[in-house]
Amino acid sequence: MGCCTGRCTLIFLCTFQLIAALERQVFDFLGYQWAPILANFLHIIIIILGLFGTLQYRHRYVVAYAIWAAVWVTWNVFLICFYLEVGDLSKDSDLLTFHVSQHQSWWSEHGPGCVRKEAPVAGMAGLEGHSYVSVIGCAVEYQYIEVMHSSMQILLSLLGFVYACYVTSIFTEEEDSFDFIGGFDPFPLYHINEKPSNLLFKQSYLPA
């Protein structure tokens, strides 16, 4: 298959997805977002399987990648709804940290233009040594940065799904048309042109 085929395009998409997933995983680790961390980990594994299947012509791995691409789109749609507070969802909840901490997205304090200020909490029992953190001057609110991340993931996954289906159909057609036992030959490999037995019988009684 040539370099401009759907297979090469899928390889490029998987490589770009892998880079984007690793970048997102780093920032989710920094923000202690445990649910996205686990989801990103699975995403990275499936991308590697899809890339391996595309390189080695293993259509089952490519099918698994296509199925996961649909799941990944659903997950990122949920994240968009979460950060935009659609319905009863709230971006300030600890849902993405499995309710074990109150951490938010890393971008909430380190976004472009954000200035982080800490002020000690005084006069409240049990909070000595703690600080109140305020963030001002952000050029872009963190929820919109997360929405842009998820939107890019959705776009890449949709493209990957389309090309994975295309590559899978090509691999399946090639497997169906290729005969490993020489099926393209109109005649068997060891074809013996046998004469009818009655003709041989007649030839043995020909006069000298």
Side-chain angles (χ1 to χ4, degrees):
M1 303 176 77
C3 193
C4 295
T5 60
R7 175 173 170 266
C8 291
T9 304
L10 184 58
I11 292 173
F12 171 78
L13 281 172
C14 286
T15 304
F16 192 75
Q17 271 188 303
L18 188 59
I19 295 172
L22 290 172
E23 177 265 341
R24 193 176 190 182
Q25 183 75 309
V26 169
F27 292 111
D28 285 337
F29 261 117
L30 293 174
Y32 301 99
Q33 303 291 290
W34 302 116
I37 286 170
L38 291 177
N40 292 334
F41 181 73
L42 289 175
H43 185 51
I44 291 170
I45 291 177
I46 299 299
I47 290 174
I48 293 173
L49 286 178
L51 187 59
F52 174 79
T54 306
L55 290 171
Q56 298 296 322
Y57 298 90
R58 305 291 181 88
H59 74 275
R60 291 181 179 85
Y61 292 154
V62 181
V63 170
Y65 166 81
I67 295 172
W68 174 255
V71 176
W72 190 243
V73 168
T74 305
W75 166 252
N76 282 279
V77 169
F78 164 76
L79 288 179
I80 291 175
C81 294
F82 176 82
Y83 283 109
L84 294 181
E85 299 185 323
V86 176
D88 296 330
L89 296 173
S90 173
K91 66 180 184 298
D92 297 323
S93 69
D94 54 359
L95 181 63
L96 297 184
T97 59
F98 293 137
H99 305 286
V100 297
S101 68
Q102 294 291 331
H103 287 92
Q104 292 182 335
S105 169
W106 182 82
W107 297 103
S108 63
E109 298 180 5
H110 303 86
C114 291
V115 178
R116 187 174 183 269
K117 293 185 176 181
E118 296 185 8
V121 178
M124 297 183 67
L127 292 180
E128 289 78 5
H130 289 72
S131 298
Y132 172 75
V133 178
S134 62
V135 181
I136 59 174
C138 294
V140 181
E141 295 294 331
Y142 75 93
Q143 64 266 27
Y144 300 119
I145 297 177
E146 293 289 355
V147 167
M148 286 189 289
H149 270 90
S150 294
S151 299
M152 184 180 68
Q153 293 289 333
I154 290 173
L155 177 61
L156 291 175
S157 294
L158 288 176
L159 290 174
F161 177 81
V162 171
Y163 278 98
C165 293
Y166 173 69
V167 170
T168 301
S169 65
I170 291 177
F171 287 176
T172 305
E173 289 175 3
E174 289 181 351
E175 287 181 358
D176 291 340
S177 60
F178 187 78
D179 193 338
F180 292 92
I181 316 177
F184 291 119
D185 244 343
F187 302 102
L189 187 61
Y190 299 104
H191 179 70
I192 301 176
N193 189 17
E194 296 182 351
K195 295 182 179 180
S197 57
N198 59 344
L199 183 59
L200 293 174
F201 181 77
K202 289 180 181 179
Q203 288 178 348
S204 63
Y205 287 98
L206 289 176

